[in-house]
Amino acid sequence: MNHDVERVLLTEDEVREGVKKAAAWLDEQYKDCKAPPLAISVLKGSVIFFCDLVRAMQTPVQMDFMTVSSYGSSSESSGIPKIVMDLAAPVEGRDVLLVEDIVDSGYTLVKMRALLEGRGAKSFTVVTLLDKPARRKVDVKADYTCFEVGDEFIVGYGLDYAQQYRNLPYIGVLKRSVYEK
Ligand code: IMP
Ligand code: MG
C-alpha cells in the first residue's frame, strides 16, 4: 500500500464488481437506443473508471472527453468549475452519458448538466464512481452511483490529490497529514 494512504476503502476486486454492475445498469437503460450514446469522461479524475466502464458495457458507445478543473491543488472545491478542454463532438440530439469520478459539492455536475442540456442533448445520464453526500452544497444527484463514501479525502483509481495517486489500482483514504501540512 502507498504510505500516504491511511486505509484501503475499496479493493481492486470490489471496484471491478461495482463497475460491472454500473455497466449492466447502463446496458438496460440504453437497450432501445437507435444511435450509440456519446459517453463523456470528465477528465482527469474519471478516466480510469471510464475506460473500464465502457469496456464492461455491451452497448456500442462513442467517446469524448472534457477537462474540468475545480480544485487547483487544495483538497477543498473552489466552487467554480472551469472548462479547461471542451468536447470535440457536438451533443445536439445525442443521448449523453456523463461519467464522473466523484460527486462532492455538486457544483461540477450542476455546471455540466446546464452546459450539455443547453447544447441540446436528447437525454442526459450521469454515472459516478463515488458519491460523498455529506459534502453536498447544491441539490443534485447522479442517476447511478457505484459507491457512497463518507466525508474523507479519497485517492486512487483516477482520483488525485495535487495530481498524485491517480494510478493506484484501489480506492483509498488519504492520510490527513498529507494535505494538512
Ligand atoms: P464537486 O465538488 O462535486 O464539484 O466535485 C468536483 C471534483 O472534485 C470531482 O470531480 C473530483 O475530481 C474532485 N474531488 C472531490 N472530492 C474528492 C476526493 O475526495 N478526492 C479526490 N478528488 C475529489
Ligand atoms: Mg473530477
Side-chain angles (χ1 to χ4, degrees), residues 3-77:
H3 62 267
D4 291 339
V5 171
E6 187 178 280
R7 66 179 200 283
V8 174
L9 206 58
L10 296 155
T11 64
E12 281 189 72
D13 283 348
E14 287 168 334
V15 172
R16 197 174 307 115
E17 275 313 298
V19 172
K20 249 202 243 169
K21 283 188 196 155
W25 184 85
L26 285 167
D27 285 335
E28 178 62 26
Q29 295 297 302
Y30 289 126
K31 68 178 192 293
D32 297 325
C33 266
K34 305 261 174 330
L38 182 67
I40 299 174
S41 168
V42 183
L43 297 175
K44 301 172 215 157
S46 82
V47 70
I48 293 179
F49 173 47
F50 183 81
C51 293
D52 286 344
L53 182 69
V54 294
R55 286 183 296 178
M57 289 172 69
Q58 301 293 315
T59 311
V61 296
Q62 292 179 2
M63 304 193 288
D64 208 341
F65 302 89
M66 194 166 200
T67 308
V68 180
S69 156
S70 61
Y71 268 64
S73 62
S74 105
S75 67
E76 282 287 321
S77 173

Side-chain angles (χ1 to χ4, degrees), residues 42 45-46 68 70-71 75 77 81 100-109 132 135-136 149 152-155 159-161 166:
V42 183
S46 82
V68 180
S70 61
Y71 268 64
S75 67
S77 173
E100 263 286 13
D101 53 353
I102 186 166
V103 183
D104 185 41
S105 67
Y107 290 133
T108 305
L109 192 49
K132 221 193 260 186
R135 301 244 318 166
R136 200 71 93 252
V149 296
E152 296 178 292
F153 202 81
I154 314 294
V155 293
L159 289 104
D160 73 308
Y161 172 68
R166 292 196 197 273

